[in-house]
């Protein structure tokens, strides 16, 4: 049994590195005109990955860290659909619409708060602009199992959606009540059955560890129940508790949260349990069946981390549509307005609702590579790095190498001339291991209220 108490010293605020630099570095130094120029000069031979943010939910799950608009008003949703369509029309003036679409993802909120006909209308509109979807495009949607019916699944299936992701979080009733998300097993099972009936190629389920009243014992039961659903992928997220940013999280009684040592124990058990039941770990918080294409991508060194998790479609430019959506180009990130009125005002003025972003300099690109390699593959091939960037790793990162020595002493990492590689336990602390390579960490380390805790 590992001494998890020993590792609680690593519990500190840190990014989840869905991007590098992180969204904290996005600013208005990257302006609208520069963004439009970048968009218009993107290499048209590069494929596109599309993200649509459908932000609505009716009731707040207290743990929720997503960008959500809580409403039960139909007219608000119809109005949003109208703005989405107008955003697409503006986008079509700046992007070559014949580019191949490799991926499309509907995220939220809960996209399935839109009815089946509404979803169809949105999809038809998208396809009236983007006409060149790849035959094997990955088309996916996030779904709350409490809000999905057969008509919606049918619409998605007929439109070519081939992946769905269901939020479970935890099956324990006490935990569910404490987080204001009561979701009996049968409801989740019915949603899974629908996904299978409509031949979804891949079904993912989300779990979260670190929620109120969770213990190793309760989480063991949750995992066993989740396993009976046989999803193709599991995402097992570390609860990101940021009550200074998300008001609803203040409803969570912090004294009921598991300790860092308990959380590490839960995650170690999760890894052991899922790997002994036919899954393999992918990156920081994902698991998949061994025949999943993610593993082929790992073998080829092509696994890529982005805002939706891990993907095999690394070489695409990400275009985000809708409130708060993030886009990513070869050397830039951009984000849409977060406030609905600003989002609408931009579109009313005939502009894309771009709010801010960041253009990566050479140092950012170098660090981005290292951090994303570690976050995706838990290792770094130093020779390959040196060749790719024409810099000498051990000189460029002398500080980081020094900062990683405690990890080596704790058997979390091995380092030699050619490789950096995490041990199995080291994978649990991958955010900490990536942090020394982050040039912006020093700026934020004095402020505890930036990122969620790594453990
Ligand atoms: C947009 S939701 C998924 C779809 C749907 N709204 C639902 O909840 O079923 C995205 C996922 O993010 C995860 N999530 C949300 N807030 C989180 C937090 N604070 N920490 C870790 N994971 C979180 C949850 O697992 C959730 O399923
Ligand atoms: S977790 Fe999902 S259902 Fe719950 S509030 Fe967040 S987006 Fe909505």
């Amino acid at each position: 049994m590992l001494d998890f108490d020993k590792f609680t010293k690593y519990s500190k605020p840190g990014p989840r590195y869905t991007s590098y630099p992180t969204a904290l570095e996005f600013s208005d130094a990257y302006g609208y005109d520069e963004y439009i120029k970048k968009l218009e000069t993107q290499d048209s031979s590069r494929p596109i990955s599309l993200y649509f943010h459908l932000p609505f939910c009716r009731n707040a799950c207290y743990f929720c860290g997503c960008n959500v608009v809580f409403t039960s008003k139909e007219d608000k949703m119809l109005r949003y659909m109208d703005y989405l369509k107008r955003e697409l029309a503006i986008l079509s003036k700046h992007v070559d619409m014949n580019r191949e679409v490799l991926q499309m993802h509907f995220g939220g909120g809960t996209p399935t708060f839109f009815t089946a006909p509404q979803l169809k209308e949105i999809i038809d509109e998208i396809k009236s602009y983007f006409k060149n979807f790849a035959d094997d495009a990955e088309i996916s949607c996030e779904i709350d199992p409490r809000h999905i019916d057969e008509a919606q699944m049918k619409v998605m299936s007929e439109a070519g959606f081939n992946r769905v992701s269901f939020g479970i979080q935890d099956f324990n009733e006490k935990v569910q009540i404490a987080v204001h998300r009561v979701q009996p097993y049968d409801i989740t099972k019915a949603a899974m059955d629908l996904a299978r009936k409509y031949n979804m190629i891949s079904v993912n389920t989300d779990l979260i560890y670190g929620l109120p009243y969770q213990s190793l014992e309760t989480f063991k039961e949750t995992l066993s129940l989740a396993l009976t659903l046989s999803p193709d992928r599991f995402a097992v997220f570390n609860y990101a508790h940021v009550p200074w940013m998300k008001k609803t999280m203040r409803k969570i009684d912090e004294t009921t949260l598991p300790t860092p040592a308990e959380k590490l124990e839960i995650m170690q058990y999760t890894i052991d349990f899922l790997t002994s039941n036919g899954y393999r770990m992918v990156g920081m918080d994902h698991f998949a069946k061994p025949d999943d294409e993610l593993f082929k991508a790992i073998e080829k060194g092509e696994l890529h981390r982005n805002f939706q998790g891990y993907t095999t479609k690394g070489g695409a430019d990400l275009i985000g549509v809708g409130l708060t959506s993030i886009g990513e180009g070869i050397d830039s990130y951009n984000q849409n307005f977060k406030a609905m009125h600003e989002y609408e005002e931009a579109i009313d003025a005939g502009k894309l609702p771009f709010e801010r972003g960041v253009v990566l300099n050479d140092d950012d690109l170098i660090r981005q590579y290292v951090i994303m390699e570690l976050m995706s593959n838990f290792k770094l091939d130093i020779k390959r790095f040196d060749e790719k960037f024409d810099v000498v790793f051990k000189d460029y990162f002398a500080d980081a190498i020094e900062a990683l020595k405690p990890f080596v002493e704790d058997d979390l990492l091995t380092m030699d001339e050619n490789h950096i590689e995490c041990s199995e336990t080291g994978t649990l602390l991958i955010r900490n291991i990536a942090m020394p390579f982050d040039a912006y960490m020093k700026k934020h380390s004095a402020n505890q209220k930036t990122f969620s805790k790594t453990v």
Side-chain angles (χ1 to χ4, degrees), residues 126-237:
I126 295 167
K127 291 198 168 172
S128 75
Y129 288 103
F130 290 98
K131 296 209 172 66
N132 187 13
F133 274 73
D135 290 342
D136 62 347
E138 264 182 40
I139 310 186
S140 55
C141 184
E142 290 171 13
I143 295 175
D144 178 342
R146 300 168 300 170
H147 298 281
I148 176 78
D149 61 27
E150 182 152 3
Q152 290 170 309
M153 193 66 87
K154 188 160 181 274
V155 160
M156 286 193 274
S157 163
E158 285 171 358
F161 279 66
N162 44 32
R163 292 163 187 271
V164 287
S165 178
F166 292 120
I168 297 177
Q169 328 308 351
D170 193 294
F171 278 121
N172 183 280
E173 205 185 344
K174 191 169 176 185
V175 176
Q176 290 191 352
I177 291 170
V179 298
H180 201 233
R181 181 186 175 116
V182 175
Q183 179 179 324
Y185 174 84
D186 289 350
I187 286 183
T188 310
K189 172 81 170 69
M192 284 300 280
D193 291 346
L194 263 185
R196 297 296 181 205
K197 180 171 173 190
Y198 284 89
N199 300 318
M200 292 296 156
I201 294 174
S202 177
V203 182
N204 172 78
T205 55
D206 292 338
L207 298 174
I208 303 182
Y209 70 100
L211 293 177
Y213 298 110
Q214 273 178 346
S215 65
L216 180 60
E217 290 317 306
T218 66
F219 208 71
K220 279 182 181 177
E221 285 166 24
T222 285
L223 283 170
S224 297
L225 273 175
L227 189 69
T228 64
L229 301 168
S230 191
D232 303 281
R233 292 182 186 172
F234 276 102
V236 187
F237 296 119

Side-chain angles (χ1 to χ4, degrees), residues 16 51 53 56-57 61-68 107-113 141-146 165-169 181 183 205-209 211 235 237-242 246 249:
R16 298 182 63 245
Y51 174 79
H53 194 63
F56 300 103
C57 275
C61 307
Y62 293 158
F63 59 79
C64 182
C66 307
N67 289 309
V68 186
T110 297
T112 48
F113 271 121
C141 184
E142 290 171 13
I143 295 175
D144 178 342
R146 300 168 300 170
S165 178
F166 292 120
I168 297 177
Q169 328 308 351
R181 181 186 175 116
Q183 179 179 324
T205 55
D206 292 338
L207 298 174
I208 303 182
Y209 70 100
L211 293 177
F237 296 119
N238 179 357
Y239 170 44
H241 187 57
V242 286
K246 295 280 169 187
M249 289 183 186

Side-chain angles (χ1 to χ4, degrees), residues 230-260:
S230 191
D232 303 281
R233 292 182 186 172
F234 276 102
V236 187
F237 296 119
N238 179 357
Y239 170 44
H241 187 57
V242 286
W244 57 91
M245 281 166 67
K246 295 280 169 187
K247 254 194 200 150
T248 52
M249 289 183 186
R250 294 178 206 160
K251 300 201 177 182
I252 288 181
D253 174 357
E254 290 179 353
T255 64
T256 64
L257 298 176
T259 63

Side-chain angles (χ1 to χ4, degrees), residues 41 44 53 68 75 183 208 313 365 384 443 449 452:
T41 53
S44 283
H53 194 63
V68 186
D75 56 342
Q183 179 179 324
I208 303 182
K313 313 271 193 241
L365 289 165
R384 199 195 283 177
K443 187 168 97 186
K449 292 192 168 170
S452 60

